[in-house]
Amino acid sequence: MENKKHKLSTRLIHAGVEPDPTTGAIMTPIYQTSTYVQAAPGDHKGYEYARTQNPTRTALQNALANIENGNYGLSFASGMAATDAVARLLMPGDEVIVSNDLYGGTYRIFTKVFANYGIKFHFVSMHDAPTIEQYVNSNTKMIWVETPTNPLLNIIDIEACAAIGKKHNLITVVDNTFASPYLQNPLDWGADIVLHSATKYLGGHSDVVHGALIMKEAALEERLRFIQNSCGAVPGPHDCWLVLRGIKTLHVRMQRHCENGEAIAHYLRSHPKVGKVLWVGFEDHPNHAIAKKQMRDFGGMISFTLKNDSIDAAVEVLKKTQLFSLAESLGGVESLIGHPATMTHASIPREERVKNGLVDSLIRLSVGIEDKDDLIEDLKQAIG
Ligand SMILES: *Cc1c(COP(=O)(O)O)cnc(C)c1O
């Protein structure tokens, strides 16, 4: 297996992948099987039953561990299945400190599923990370960080959160879906678990739903692998293969996402009808210094508001774009446009979301890897 001395671009292609031992096939085969033949009970080649192990999944898990600078990777049927597995580390009475600007599905599983099991979640602003220590008490077990956040693209200091976690013996989890391992490696800043919805940048082609956890510590991996196998939200081998294939071009895609993102963020900022543009790369972004510290580049996620701040004005733009498709999700090769107030964040009361900056006209872009001039032209005709 490719070791950690190579640079990320090399590891993305080779990590975890070995030629198939029976044929030499360079591409990892899709082991579409549910079980494995044993010579005698217990005499097998490391594979017994496919919920527990599958060689295609093993290759992917090893690749994931490597590209996030961890020692272990675990694959799940979706990002939410990975989140579910982490939450199952908790017991009734435990408390979790969670960033308040969060993926809607994560907010939903915490408040509507795990709160029913007696686990308490404190949703707090982590803009000034050291201040979250005030929420730590003797029941606190976990800190849950998402950075950059969705859709407001706030930045949270991973190193500062992990330091508080270490000091109080808490597990620090970072949802790294928006950044991808190309832009940021939370384990390097002290996080214990990195979570991905591989549905987004890792898969990268909007053709698979998949989740992943990566960690360094053997004891933590053992607990999570036990949960993965016991609860059973494992991915099929074909989905593992798609993610493994997607990962091989992550660096090339991300480089273009970043270039296009930068060009479009600057274009939008110069547009007379556009209000605020939220993009991590602007020097006047409120946590730009932290972004520069923990990220290698700034990505292709952009949100913006219209000076005519109304749902109707936003919907007019959404209806007119042609290259930017109106859809949920992000991180694929094609550009997407969305309206959080009526789509992903519609369940949050208006007063609450507006207070946090999620105003009526806020539009979110997942900038794809098409030609940037064409993308800018599309936005120009749509905004008018
Ligand atoms: C999409 C997403 C998830 C959930 O992942 P699924 O693969 O859709 O289950 C979790 N966190 C973030 C930041 C996401 O964007």
Side-chain angles (χ1 to χ4, degrees):
M1 190 205 305
E2 220 24 56
N3 65 35
K4 287 176 189 163
K5 77 181 192 303
H6 290 108
K7 298 220 160 63
L8 181 65
S9 301
T10 306
R11 290 188 277 129
L12 285 165
I13 291 162
H14 295 286
V17 176
E18 308 264 17
D20 177 51
T22 51
T23 64
I26 192 163
M27 292 310 302
T28 307
I30 300 167
Y31 286 89
Q32 194 72 55
T33 188
S34 63
T35 192
Y36 308 85
V37 176
Q38 309 188 16
D43 180 5
H44 54 73
K45 300 178 164 132
Y47 292 92
E48 295 151 279
Y49 183 63
R51 175 169 21 81
T52 316
Q53 317 101 335
N54 179 288
T56 318
R57 171 151 50 105
T58 303
L60 173 60
Q61 292 185 154
N62 290 339
L64 289 164
N66 185 305
I67 64 177
E68 274 292 11
N69 300 339
N71 295 325
Y72 305 98
L74 293 171
S75 285
F76 291 86
S78 68
M80 289 320 299
T83 299
D84 176 69
V86 175
R88 286 172 194 273
L89 293 170
L90 300 162
M91 303 281 279
D94 286 351
E95 299 190 13
V96 186
I97 303 169
V98 191
S99 47
N100 65 354
D101 184 13
L102 192 71
Y103 177 69
T106 310
Y107 181 80
R108 182 175 58 194
I109 197 173
F110 287 168
T111 57
K112 299 278 202 279
V113 180
F114 283 99
N116 295 337
Y117 294 91
I119 298 160
K120 198 167 167 191
F121 298 89
H122 300 270
F123 296 92
V124 307
S125 166
M126 295 191 179
H127 178 78
D128 185 10
T131 63
I132 69 171
E133 193 167 15
Q134 65 187 290
Y135 300 97
V136 177
N137 63 41
S138 58
N139 295 323
T140 310
K141 293 286 153 50
M142 191 177 277
I143 300 176
W144 190 284
V145 178
E146 191 178 308
T147 180
T149 65
N150 174 27
L152 299 172
L153 298 164
N154 290 317
I155 294 290
I156 296 167
D157 188 336
I158 297 170
E159 190 179 22
C161 291
I164 294 166
K166 286 248 157 11
K167 182 173 159 193
H168 297 279
N169 206 18
L170 316 175
I171 297 172
T172 303
V173 186
V174 177
D175 183 335
N176 203 28
T177 300
F178 261 46
S180 91
Y182 178 82
L183 296 181
Q184 155 180 298
N185 296 116
L187 298 179
D188 291 354
W189 299 104
D192 299 296
I193 302 175
V194 171
L195 181 144
H196 280 283
S197 167
T199 313
K200 319 293 168 53
Y201 286 107
L202 286 174
H205 295 74
S206 308
D207 53 9
V208 63
V209 172
H210 195 97
L213 300 176
I214 301 104
M215 53 257 124
K216 281 188 167 163
E217 223 190 279
L220 193 53
E221 189 267 348
E222 198 180 325
R223 288 173 72 195
L224 287 163
R225 183 159 39 86
F226 178 83
I227 292 169
Q228 180 199 43
N229 186 46
S230 303
C231 301
V234 293
H238 188 250
D239 286 355
C240 292
W241 182 85
L242 282 168
V243 176
L244 203 49
R245 183 163 88 160
I247 286 174
K248 289 177 197 285
T249 54
L250 180 73
H251 51 310
V252 185
R253 288 183 283 111
M254 287 306 296
Q255 196 177 356
R256 185 65 72 85
H257 284 297
C258 291
E259 273 171 37
N260 285 357
E262 178 171 14
I264 288 170
H266 283 100
Y267 167 73
L268 288 170
R269 218 177 209 195
S270 71
H271 197 293
K273 290 190 182 168
V274 169
K276 262 197 189 155
V277 183
L278 309 177
W279 178 62
V280 176
F282 286 133
E283 282 185 8
D284 55 4
H285 181 287
N287 264 345
H288 183 68
I290 294 163
K292 270 188 95 160
K293 177 181 85 168
Q294 68 193 21
M295 298 176 76
R296 298 183 193 94
D297 204 338
F298 305 118
M301 296 303 299
I302 301 170
S303 293
F304 66 99
T305 66
L306 299 171
K307 284 192 182 143
N308 174 7
D309 180 40
S310 67
I311 288 183
D312 288 351
V315 169
E316 274 310 298
V317 175
L318 301 170
K319 286 204 295 210
K320 284 191 194 145
T321 56
Q322 284 165 7
L323 286 175
F324 282 87
S325 302
L326 179 61
E328 298 199 2
S329 200
L330 62 114
V333 289
E334 61 288 297
S335 293
L336 300 181
I337 189 166
H339 187 234
T342 57
M343 295 168 72
T344 46
H345 292 65
S347 59
I348 303 174
R350 182 175 184 277
E351 197 184 327
E352 183 77 8
R353 69 170 161 77
V354 169
K355 194 174 72 196
N356 292 329
L358 208 166
V359 298
D360 289 342
S361 71
L362 190 92
I363 291 171
R364 191 191 80 178
L365 303 178
S366 170
V367 177
I369 63 170
E370 301 95 334
D371 186 280
K372 63 176 179 288
D373 295 337
D374 289 337
L375 294 177
I376 288 173
E377 209 46 49
D378 191 34
L379 290 170
K380 192 177 197 171
Q381 62 80 26
I383 301 169

